[in-house]
Amino acid sequence: MNFEEFKNCGLRRSLDILSGKWKPLIFQNLFEKDEVRFIELWRNMPRVSKKVLSEQLKQLEENHMIQRIEVYNFPPEVYYKLTDKARELGPILDQLHQWGNELAH
Amino acid sequence: MNFEEFKNCGLRRSLDILSGKWKPLIFQNLFEKDEVRFIELWRNMPRVSKKVLSEQLKQLEENHMIQRIEVYNFPPEVYYKLTDKARELGPILDQLHQWGNELAH
DNA sequence: CGGCATCCACATGGATACTG
DNA sequence: CAGTATCCATGTGGATGCCG
């Protein structure tokens, strides 16, 4: 594999989608349920600002990993759910999780 | 999974090890052979400076993903090879690669 | 050859306040 | 409630040069 191939290779694309400090935790939260409301997601990761959480969700949406579902209320209600393609990542992330837990530290 | 658990969870650790612009390409090069010499590795990714390549290799070494083998010559010869633990990543990265290639783009 | 030193550009994420 | 706007600190990687 040379550099030009690498730029667009599947591995590079996958890791780019997963890159971001809070992405794995977002995935883990969304795997557990069908839909999760923004505020609930945020309460599960209180160390992140809403700005940053919004950014990461927007990136995941652009990458077709999540679907954004807005209910037109006041106050607003917005839910996020994983796409089918994202759910395929489940078993792979489980393996990474397992492998990482076996590391000495 | 709450935030405190997440900080040290296996998934976060795995992705941290893989994070870095050139890490996947380093892995792919090293998977193909037993040992690879520094200069050969560098020639396979000519868009990266030697400084950056060195940094990424050092991080991988600190994470016990590669072993650094130095031959005391002049000019110096340094080889890198994957550890057994790193080789376990092979099948997982293959799945990520496959999944990434199936994405519409 | 295999680094390291230096300097720099840009991206990422944090803190806070504000708004429809 | 679900964002945006603004400002800022830090980190990551690129460019170049030097050195044993």
Side-chain angles (χ1 to χ4, degrees), chain A residues 1-104:
Chain A
M1 153 126 18
N2 64 30
F3 174 78
E4 293 305 325
E5 286 164 7
F6 172 63
K7 274 194 307 184
N8 288 316
C9 94
L11 181 57
R12 185 65 277 168
R13 274 208 299 273
S14 303
L15 291 173
D16 285 344
I17 286 173
L18 292 170
S19 82
K21 186 168 174 182
W22 303 97
K23 299 268 178 72
L25 195 47
I26 292 172
F27 271 102
Q28 285 170 331
N29 271 275
L30 294 182
F31 274 127
E32 290 172 9
K33 298 184 182 169
D34 182 42
E35 310 181 343
V36 180
R37 193 173 174 180
F38 180 86
I39 189 67
E40 184 184 353
L41 204 49
W42 185 65
R43 289 201 185 104
N44 284 344
M45 39 188 116
R47 311 279 264 267
V48 65
S49 69
K50 288 190 289 177
K51 185 202 97 173
V52 171
L53 180 56
S54 288
E55 284 170 355
Q56 309 248 321
L57 287 167
K58 187 174 292 189
Q59 291 166 19
L60 288 173
E61 196 193 356
E62 287 166 354
N63 288 323
H64 308 98
M65 293 297 106
I66 56 177
Q67 186 185 354
R68 185 179 176 280
I69 301 159
E70 186 167 355
V71 180
Y72 292 94
N73 271 351
F74 193 92
E77 282 179 60
V78 178
Y79 298 86
Y80 291 93
K81 68 179 292 185
L82 292 175
T83 61
D84 292 343
K85 189 64 188 165
R87 293 225 170 247
E88 291 176 25
L89 266 183
I92 304 178
L93 296 186
D94 284 345
Q95 292 171 68
L96 271 180
H97 182 75
Q98 173 75 24
W99 179 87
N101 274 332
E102 292 162 6
L103 291 170

Side-chain angles (χ1 to χ4, degrees), chain B residues 17-100:
Chain B
I17 287 173
L18 292 171
S19 82
K21 185 168 174 182
W22 302 96
K23 299 267 179 70
L25 195 47
I26 293 172
F27 271 101
Q28 285 171 332
N29 272 274
L30 294 182
F31 273 127
E32 290 172 10
K33 299 185 182 167
D34 182 42
E35 312 181 341
V36 179
R37 193 172 176 180
F38 180 86
I39 189 67
E40 184 184 354
L41 204 48
W42 184 65
R43 290 202 183 104
N44 283 343
M45 36 189 117
R47 310 280 264 266
V48 66
S49 70
K50 286 189 291 177
K51 185 203 96 174
V52 171
L53 180 56
S54 289
E55 284 171 356
Q56 309 249 320
L57 287 167
K58 186 174 292 186
Q59 292 166 17
L60 288 173
E61 194 192 359
E62 287 166 356
N63 288 323
H64 308 98
M65 292 299 106
I66 56 176
Q67 188 185 353
R68 183 178 179 280
I69 300 158
E70 184 166 356
V71 180
Y72 293 94
N73 271 351
F74 193 92
E77 281 179 61
V78 178
Y79 298 87
Y80 291 93
K81 68 180 289 185
L82 293 175
T83 62
D84 291 345
K85 188 65 187 164
R87 292 223 171 249
E88 291 175 26
L89 266 184
I92 305 179
L93 296 187
D94 284 346
Q95 292 171 67
L96 272 180
H97 182 76
Q98 173 76 25
W99 179 87

